[in-house]
Amino acid sequence: MRAWRVERPGPADSGPMRLRDVPTPSPGPGELLVRVRACGVCRTDLHVAEGDLAVRRPLVVPGHEVVGQVVNGAGEFVPGDLVGIAWLRATCGTCRFCRRGAENLCPDSRYTGWDADGGYADLAVVPADYALRLPLGYSDSTLAPLLCAGIIGYHALARAELPPGGRLGVYGFGGSAHLAAQVAIARGATVHVMTRSHAARRLALELGAASAQGAADAPPEPLDSAILFAPAGELVLPALAALDRGGTLSIAGIHLSDIPPLNYERHLFQDRQLRSVTANTRAQAREFLAFAGAHRLHVETTDYPLETADRALLDLAEGRVNGAAVLVP
């Protein structure tokens, strides 16, 4: 089968991935073999390819927003079922975090496209216990971003503790942000978007945002909550400064450039909070996918043939993707 492998981690424009013919993977006990029908291109894939995340599996196949059809069944799944493969791939199930329902913090957690091969390929393998049922009413291409961009945005929104009817600031407006903003709007929030992309600002307004301005600009009113999706540490300061008293900023990315020095009184005083976001639980994933099934979300995608995954990754790195990039056969 065909698969993209990270052979020399480095800048996206240096060609860190290569498309190769590789053996078809063999599922183990309790695992599904899945024929890939679409795979989202996530910023985390970019961090894996560029070496921002330390190599865990040499020559790994990236991709953890996988929509596919079961070839070999296991668990509750049978051949022909449509399933999703997401970032979280395995947890120990016995540590104190797993026992209290916070499996996203499991020290022994493993991840698709980092610890194990993912979906930049014709076929992929996933433990049946970590495969996800998918909502109806979406195409394969629009389902794919829901499996990480949507899920992690949903978790980031929970971490931001947005009050009912509150004012939310969204910093960066890519694949994850444009979905989280829709969830917040559907729940009655006022959303203000800060992003460098003019096309993303237009999309934000089309999706119902109350305002859209530059990445470091002040929103038109104080914020109850904010989410930073852009991996830019320098945006932490204007996002914190935009919070009203008692506001919370959650940082949605797995990697962030260094944060400049904070001024305590300006950025943190008056009960402001700064919170990180780490992966998600399967329960959160199912909850979000159920929400997506009940509320028709607009998923903005740009499709790329699998053969051009390197170009999709470079376009993502250089800010040329509006919404989410998705690989299709």
Side-chain angles (χ1 to χ4, degrees), residues 25-327:
S26 298
E31 292 185 332
L32 307 174
L33 178 64
V34 174
R35 183 167 300 281
V36 178
R37 290 171 39 160
C39 183
V41 179
C42 179
R43 188 164 290 277
T44 301
D45 301 333
L46 181 63
H47 295 317
V48 169
E50 293 196 321
D52 296 325
L53 298 180
V55 174
R56 290 195 179 180
R57 177 181 175 86
L59 303 178
V60 72
V61 177
H64 57 274
E65 296 180 336
V66 184
V67 175
Q69 195 161 25
V70 174
V71 177
N72 289 359
E76 65 180 79
F77 299 99
V78 299
D81 281 348
L82 191 67
V83 299
I85 304 174
W87 176 238
L88 186 68
R89 185 181 189 86
T91 54
C92 74
T94 59
C95 71
R96 66 188 185 278
F97 301 107
C98 287
R99 291 197 308 270
R100 75 186 194 204
E103 65 180 1
N104 59 309
L105 301 179
C106 175
D108 294 322
S109 55
R110 296 190 298 279
Y111 300 95
T112 306
W114 191 19
D115 295 292
D117 289 337
Y120 286 22
D122 292 319
L123 294 156
V125 167
V126 62
D129 288 345
Y130 290 80
L132 297 167
R133 297 283 184 185
L134 298 171
L136 301 176
Y138 295 84
S139 67
D140 294 342
S141 181
T142 56
L143 279 170
L146 301 182
L147 291 163
C148 181
I151 292 169
I152 203 67
Y154 190 77
H155 182 36
L157 188 57
R159 292 284 289 166
E161 295 187 343
L162 180 65
R167 301 156 297 176
L168 175 69
V170 174
Y171 289 79
F173 204 72
S176 189
H178 90 288
L179 295 171
Q182 291 179 72
V183 174
I185 291 168
R187 290 174 169 174
T190 298
V191 173
H192 300 287
V193 171
M194 279 61 69
T195 181
R196 64 183 180 178
S197 166
H198 292 285
R201 290 180 212 168
R202 287 194 300 272
L203 176 61
L205 295 173
E206 290 169 5
L207 293 177
S211 74
Q213 44 271 314
D217 291 345
E221 60 181 337
L223 305 172
D224 297 303
S225 303
I227 307 173
L228 175 59
F229 288 99
E234 65 272 15
L235 293 180
V236 170
L237 273 63
L240 285 171
L243 292 176
D244 206 349
R245 298 181 178 209
T248 299
L249 169 65
S250 68
I251 299 177
I254 193 173
H255 174 80
L256 187 73
S257 62
D258 289 344
I259 301 172
L262 301 176
N263 177 279
Y264 177 70
E265 185 169 354
R266 182 181 180 193
H267 298 118
L268 284 176
F269 193 51
Q270 303 291 357
D271 281 2
R272 295 181 181 91
Q273 298 184 82
L274 177 62
R275 310 179 83 177
S276 66
V277 175
T278 301
N280 60 272
T281 67
R282 284 171 287 174
Q284 288 170 326
R286 296 182 187 114
E287 185 178 312
F288 168 71
L289 292 172
F291 183 96
H295 300 77
R296 180 68 172 133
L297 300 177
H298 173 80
V299 188
E300 186 80 6
T301 66
T302 302
D303 290 353
Y304 294 79
L306 176 63
E307 296 85 357
T308 63
D310 53 347
R311 180 165 64 86
L313 204 68
L314 182 59
D315 285 351
L316 181 66
E318 297 186 350
R320 291 192 292 267
V321 176
N322 194 27
V326 179
L327 305 178

